[in-house]
Amino acid sequence: MSSIRLANIRKQYGPVFAVADVSLDVEPGQFVTLLGPSGSGKTTTLRMIAGLEQPSSGTLMISERLVFDERELVRTSERNLGMVFQSYAVWPHKTVFGNVAFPLQQRGVAQREQAGRVQEMLEMVELGGLAQRYPSELSGGQQQRVALARAMVARPEVILFDEPLSNLDAQLRESMRNLLLSLHERFHFTAVYVTHDQTEAMVLSDRVHVMNKGRIVQSGSPRELYEQPADLFVAEFIGQANVLPIMETRSNGAEVLVAGGHWLTLPLSAARNLGSLVIRPHSVRLVPTETRESDNLCKALVLRVIYLGDRAQYELDLGSGSFLQMDLVARRNLPQAGDNILVHLPPEDCITV
């Protein structure tokens, strides 16, 4: 049975629907992400699960308990949730220990047990020696670890995360992602995580729900969304994507003419939804210019090369106003701006939407 179930949940502000008919199930122990741009409805959906926003209509259940419908509304404090906010939301007048102990105090846990559980939790988030410090004496990353420990210390069945890593620098975000992964593997709590960062979604999630304009437009595993996007919005939002408009088809859609005058062969599974062809930059292959016998070869002019340390990012002109991005592992003797090259677009890596 589901830990969380939303059925036809709506949130309306006047004539505008911030969330429109969202339905989803989150299984016990699952790590689920709501992914989308600003204004997509993901945070509003999370706040309705938390009880911080009241839905306009629909049904919401947590751990098989009805917490909202047209007759029922259970308060946030009675939903047995933990929550980690983007802004840390730690109390400045309390020590690290006091912040983390607060949920246990609210539940009437004995002081001796509080001390043991708080210290155990602080050790897990690598703050074991900082129990008596105040938030003003901590870095942003340390404050977010306090917030995480506070959310977990009472062992709630469900933990909600509202873009908790967006205020951290790149190195800290990676460190916190790894910490979240290890804690989830250890405790198997049910998690709903909100972010606009597709890397976070790919790394952390068992299942991702992509939201746009208040609706879920596609759900699946990170790999399914990346390799089989349902439409152009998902294809461009999940990872980088080259998009080539399809101008003409033949062979029942198995061959397509894209902008730039190139005929490309598609796998049979892609001969559908023939509006645009999508190929990821890392799938574009550089091949020797003398190569002749292969499908999907395209001549290209190198417009720009961006060196990124471990890889080089290429901007290519295929002609007739058609452009392509290619990513290559950085090495010596790669093509330079102004070079004419030959690239291969493997049929198995071509996606149509």
Side-chain angles (χ1 to χ4, degrees):
M1 303 297 285
S2 299
S3 274
I4 303 173
R5 172 167 292 175
L6 280 67
N8 303 116
I9 286 290
R10 291 183 174 186
K11 181 61 180 179
Q12 188 172 1
Y13 298 100
V16 177
F17 281 97
V19 174
D21 294 313
V22 164
S23 297
L24 63 89
D25 287 343
V26 182
E27 301 301 324
Q30 203 171 38
F31 200 115
V32 165
T33 294
L34 305 179
L35 175 68
S38 297
S40 62
K42 58 189 186 299
T43 295
T44 302
T45 300
L46 189 81
R47 288 175 63 84
M48 288 190 288
I49 295 172
L52 301 175
E53 296 276 357
Q54 182 175 336
S56 301
S57 61
T59 303
L60 202 162
M61 300 183 71
I62 299 176
S63 301
E64 304 305 317
R65 179 190 180 192
L66 180 67
V67 297
F68 175 80
D69 69 2
E70 59 184 13
R71 297 178 302 274
E72 182 76 19
L73 177 63
V74 175
R75 294 182 299 177
T76 300
S77 60
E78 298 173 356
R79 295 191 182 193
N80 192 27
L81 302 169
M83 191 159 183
V84 183
F85 296 90
Q86 176 182 353
S87 59
Y88 316 143
V90 293
W91 290 291
H93 64 287
K94 291 180 179 288
T95 62
V96 168
F97 184 95
N99 268 278
V100 177
F102 183 78
L104 301 178
Q105 295 165 358
Q106 293 296 101
R107 288 165 172 77
V109 176
Q111 287 191 351
R112 180 177 295 180
E113 185 179 349
Q114 283 182 35
R117 287 171 63 173
V118 169
Q119 191 59 40
E120 178 186 29
M121 203 68 247
L122 291 178
E123 294 290 344
M124 288 181 187
V125 299
E126 301 173 10
L127 294 175
L130 305 181
Q132 298 309 313
R133 288 195 185 180
Y134 286 88
S136 62
E137 300 172 309
L138 304 176
S139 68
Q142 288 171 330
Q143 289 185 59
Q144 195 60 292
R145 289 169 188 259
V146 173
L148 178 59
R150 183 180 59 192
M152 294 186 60
V153 72
R155 300 167 189 165
E157 295 181 19
V158 175
I159 301 180
L160 309 178
F161 298 88
D162 185 11
E163 303 204 51
L165 309 186
S166 61
N167 289 338
L168 306 180
D169 62 42
Q171 189 171 1
L172 273 176
R173 282 200 301 272
E174 183 175 359
S175 174
M176 286 295 293
R177 284 199 305 265
N178 292 336
L179 176 61
L180 282 172
L181 277 173
S182 64
L183 290 173
H184 185 253
E185 289 170 356
R186 177 166 182 172
F187 293 103
H188 305 290
F189 52 83
T190 303
V192 180
Y193 190 98
V194 160
T195 185
H196 62 271
D197 186 318
Q198 59 100 11
T199 300
E200 288 179 20
M202 299 282 278
V203 170
L204 293 169
S205 310
D206 299 311
R207 190 167 181 83
V208 179
H209 300 279
V210 182
M211 297 191 69
N212 189 32
K213 297 179 180 178
R215 299 181 183 274
I216 294 175
V217 295
Q218 188 175 358
S219 301
S221 69
R223 185 166 189 168
E224 288 169 342
L225 296 178
Y226 188 81
E227 296 181 357
Q228 303 167 43
D231 58 23
L232 192 55
F233 172 81
V234 177
E236 293 186 304
F237 199 79
I238 305 287
Q240 295 178 311
N242 292 300
V243 180
L244 300 174
I246 293 174
M247 317 301 292
E248 188 180 336
T249 69
R250 66 189 183 194
S251 303
N252 295 321
E255 294 179 83
V256 297
L257 177 67
V258 298
H262 301 280
W263 280 98
L264 301 176
T265 299
L266 302 178
L268 291 177
S269 61
R272 56 179 178 79
N273 302 327
L274 298 178
S276 298
L277 182 144
V278 173
I279 186 165
R280 305 294 184 180
H282 67 82
S283 295
V284 179
R285 311 290 170 80
L286 175 68
V287 296
T289 53
E290 64 270 16
T291 302
R292 291 291 177 267
E293 296 182 4
S294 180
D295 292 329
N296 297 8
L297 292 178
C298 301
K299 293 180 180 179
L301 171 67
V302 179
L303 297 177
R304 185 178 292 110
V305 182
I306 302 172
Y307 177 70
L308 298 173
D310 60 337
R311 60 192 172 94
Q313 188 178 87
Y314 282 75
E315 294 181 26
L316 309 177
D317 184 352
L318 299 183
S320 302
S322 184
F323 302 95
L324 204 64
Q325 182 176 307
M326 174 177 68
D327 286 356
L328 298 177
V329 175
R331 60 181 187 275
R332 296 182 184 277
N333 301 319
L334 286 175
Q336 301 299 312
D339 289 351
N340 289 292
I341 62 173
L342 193 64
V343 295
H344 181 222
L345 311 185
E348 65 273 17
D349 293 326
C350 293
I351 305 163
T352 55
V353 294

